[in-house]
Amino acid sequence: MKIIVFGATGNTGRRVLASGVKMGHEMTAFVRNPEKLIEQQGEQIAGQVKIAAQNILDPQSVYHALSHQDVAIIAAGSVANGEEFIRIVDNIVTQCEDHPQFSGRVWVMGGAGLLEIPYTQIMGNDLPGIPPMFKYHSDNWNRLRRTKLDWSFMCPGTMVDGAEYERPGLLQVSADILPIPFPESTKDLSEAELSGLLFSRLHEIDVAYEDVADVMLSHLELSGPFKGKRVGVAYRNDVIE
């Protein structure tokens, strides 16, 4: 497939780019600094990638780069960028919506705070004590909910370098809820208690960048199982293949 990665030199984007090349996809990297991409990937992988070195906030540049692409993976920006993060995502999504030569499959990077705690229908981002900047993920999710694009929102916990991380179990992927087990009694907890419980278990949703990239690259089809879903990932020792 033809896949464009926005933010292709970031921690997630560069893993998506490298994995996509190895899988045989036609990869385009939308970046500010082509030299950084070559330094990260090496000549062998970088030589197989089309590079668009443009301003990600410029509508025409993004629109042009989307021509004839099958999938857009938005791994650019972060909550630390504040309002600019929202503008980046909104600009790319808008150009995807308006482009007659874009097929319409979109992955956007978010955070685990967008996932609901089992038995509660309450998102982590809505609990007390959550850093205010993570609400930018909620703003981006609300933007996606208004579009007719075929989108999925990747919502991992803390991501780590897979080369230095010993996976504690098999990878489990969830839709809309946290991918770790909670007792049914969780529904009886107050929001303050839920917040404390969530913070105490955040280490259970640590995940390797490489595994996050592979989940997205394994679900590129239109109208797939994660269409319109927030996607969680975690390692589970009790999962049976």
Side-chain angles (χ1 to χ4, degrees):
M1 299 184 77
K2 296 180 179 179
I3 304 171
I4 184 168
V5 182
F6 292 92
T9 57
N11 284 323
T12 304
R14 65 187 177 93
R15 270 89 171 187
V16 172
L17 196 68
S19 292
V21 169
K22 292 174 183 177
M23 291 178 182
H25 297 297
E26 295 181 38
M27 305 298 293
T28 297
F30 196 106
V31 295
R32 288 180 296 182
N33 187 343
E35 290 76 18
K36 183 177 180 180
L37 184 147
I38 296 170
E39 180 182 341
Q40 288 177 341
Q41 302 289 359
E43 294 287 349
Q44 184 175 4
I45 290 181
Q48 301 177 64
V49 173
K50 180 181 177 181
I51 298 176
Q54 304 288 338
N55 179 0
I56 203 168
L57 289 170
D58 177 54
Q60 289 187 338
S61 296
V62 172
Y63 185 91
H64 177 73
L66 285 166
S67 295
H68 305 294
Q69 299 289 340
D70 298 311
V71 180
I73 296 181
I74 305 175
S78 72
V79 292
N81 298 130
E83 295 291 337
E84 182 178 283
F85 184 34
I86 296 173
R87 293 196 298 272
I88 288 171
V89 173
D90 178 63
N91 181 42
I92 299 170
V93 170
T94 298
Q95 304 319 309
C96 289
E97 290 172 327
D98 295 342
H99 208 305
Q101 295 175 330
F102 175 72
S103 296
R105 183 71 177 120
V106 178
W107 272 99
V108 181
M109 289 300 302
L114 287 174
L115 299 171
E116 295 172 9
I117 299 172
Y119 302 107
T120 70
Q121 296 185 322
I122 297 175
M123 294 194 310
N125 278 359
D126 292 334
L127 292 173
I130 300 299
M133 67 179 180
F134 288 111
K135 296 300 177 88
Y136 292 120
H137 285 315
S138 299
D139 291 336
N140 287 337
W141 177 51
N142 286 328
R143 173 65 180 88
L144 287 174
R145 294 169 73 191
R146 298 195 301 270
T147 185
K148 295 181 180 179
L149 293 170
D150 190 321
W151 60 267
S152 299
F153 211 135
M154 172 55 71
C155 302
T158 299
M159 291 184 285
V160 297
D161 185 349
E164 302 175 357
Y165 183 64
E166 183 176 350
R167 276 71 163 177
L170 299 174
L171 190 70
Q172 173 150 320
V173 184
S174 65
D176 293 331
I177 65 171
L178 284 165
I180 52 177
F182 284 78
E184 188 173 355
S185 58
T186 301
K187 68 180 185 295
D188 300 321
L189 298 179
S190 67
E191 289 194 353
E193 290 170 328
L194 283 174
S195 184
L197 177 62
L198 180 60
F199 276 113
S200 73
R201 301 191 61 186
L202 287 179
H203 65 283
E204 297 180 40
I205 53 173
D206 291 352
V207 64
Y209 287 105
E210 291 81 359
D211 291 336
V212 169
D214 287 348
V215 169
M216 292 190 287
L217 291 168
S218 296
H219 295 89
L220 302 176
E221 71 278 14
L222 292 170
S223 298
F226 297 118
K227 178 181 179 180
K229 300 293 185 179
R230 295 156 285 164
V231 179
V233 287
Y235 304 107
R236 292 274 300 280
N237 289 315
D238 58 338
V239 176
I240 300 175
E241 289 185 303

